[in-house]
Amino acid sequence: KAGVTQTPRYLIKTRGQQVTLSCSPISGHRSVSWYQQTPGQGLQFLFEYFSETQRNKGNFPGRFSGRQFSNSRSEMNVSTLELGDSALYLCASSSLGPRVLHEKLFFGSGTQLSVL
Amino acid sequence: ILNVEQSPQSLHVQEGDSTNFTCSFPSSNFYALHWYRWETAKSPEALFVMTLNGDEKKKGRISATLNTKEGYSYLYIKGSQPEDSATYLCAPNNAGNMLTFGGGTRLMVKP
């Protein structure tokens, strides 16, 4: 069974640009969540999607958005990039969605975004 | 926003030593506590998901306990090996799949 796949692996952008990151969950998983990892803040929750609906959202500005498609693949978009958006962005999938709170997450390898 | 604290921040041990670290979290609205191991250049990997007060889980040389009334969990590694070197993250789950991660404990095991 293939794991969680994130593309691209590395990305370099300049301030003011926008970026789209992609995440393909494990086959059969319907919940996809996104996290941001920075050295100073650790892993922080961005948002979670289940069956194409955003179910939870973390404390991030509106420049961060996402969506989920009918095949459970998810994309995350960051508009008007700032230097502070440089981070590792991880997505994670789980099989049963937010109503099953003890379901473990399966993480992808992440997209390393550098904003210059 | 939950306040999740892990201690120590980092730990250096010799191969064969046993070690343990702590995760503290608010005890209200608790549903589950996750432990993940994150090795350098790899993805975080789930170790345990614990839900009940007094729960104990074991996976090989690694075990964990949970106290939901006082809001803490311990992770133990018996006879540490160099391959145990990683950052260990805990995260309580209080709403859906929205995990709030602690800062992690970085373990380095010297051969």
Side-chain angles (χ1 to χ4, degrees):
Chain A
K1 208 174 192 182
V4 178
T5 305
Q6 290 189 247
T7 56
R9 186 72 180 89
Y10 300 95
L11 207 47
I12 299 175
K13 292 285 187 179
T14 56
R15 278 184 300 174
Q17 287 187 310
Q18 68 99 27
V19 67
T20 299
L21 313 181
S22 178
C23 173
S24 294
I26 291 172
S27 177
H29 284 194
R30 296 166 64 191
S31 171
V32 174
S33 50
W34 288 88
Y35 290 84
Q36 181 196 63
Q37 164 76 5
T38 57
Q41 298 294 321
L43 263 176
Q44 291 190 289
F45 173 79
L46 281 154
F47 26 66
E48 188 257 345
Y49 288 87
F50 179 75
S51 292
E52 302 179 65
T53 301
Q54 187 182 89
R55 300 298 294 262
N56 293 292
K57 190 176 192 310
N59 190 26
F60 278 82
R63 299 185 297 106
F64 291 81
S65 63
R67 58 178 176 168
Q68 186 180 34
F69 302 96
S70 58
N71 62 358
S72 293
R73 190 177 71 84
S74 177
E75 287 183 347
M76 190 194 107
N77 185 277
V78 187
S79 63
T80 319
L81 284 165
E82 300 178 0
L83 295 178
D85 297 333
S86 295
L88 177 67
Y89 291 87
L90 289 168
C91 85
S93 72
S94 65
S95 60
L96 298 177
R99 293 193 184 279
V100 184
L101 301 173
H102 56 269
E103 181 72 13
K104 65 182 178 182
L105 300 185
F106 294 82
F107 283 88
S109 299
T111 294
Q112 183 68 54
L113 172 65
S114 297
V115 182
L116 306 179
Chain B
I1 298 176
L2 296 181
N3 184 24
V4 182
E5 295 184 0
Q6 291 189 246
S7 61
Q9 283 189 327
S10 65
L11 197 53
H12 294 251
V13 301
Q14 288 293 137
E15 182 176 353
D17 288 350
S18 292
T19 186
N20 64 86
F21 4 103
T22 305
C23 172
S24 300
F25 53 89
S27 55
S28 58
N29 298 322
F30 173 86
Y31 291 98
L33 190 283
H34 294 229
W35 280 101
Y36 289 84
R37 174 171 61 197
W38 195 357
E39 295 178 67
T40 303
K42 294 187 178 180
S43 311
E45 176 192 2
L47 288 172
F48 308 112
V49 180
M50 310 169 75
T51 57
L52 300 175
N53 184 45
D55 214 0
E56 290 187 32
K57 299 271 188 179
K58 188 174 181 181
K59 184 178 181 179
R61 294 177 291 97
I62 304 176
S63 60
T65 61
L66 177 66
N67 183 321
T68 61
K69 294 184 188 299
E70 296 181 37
Y72 64 83
S73 176
Y74 294 136
L75 189 79
Y76 302 91
I77 302 179
K78 184 178 178 182
S80 301
Q81 299 296 307
E83 58 265 30
D84 296 328
S85 297
T87 296
Y88 291 83
L89 297 164
C90 73
N93 186 332
N94 294 67
N97 278 341
M98 178 176 161
L99 298 183
T100 302
F101 283 87
T105 292
R106 187 180 176 200
L107 174 67
M108 285 152 281
V109 182
K110 298 176 187 175

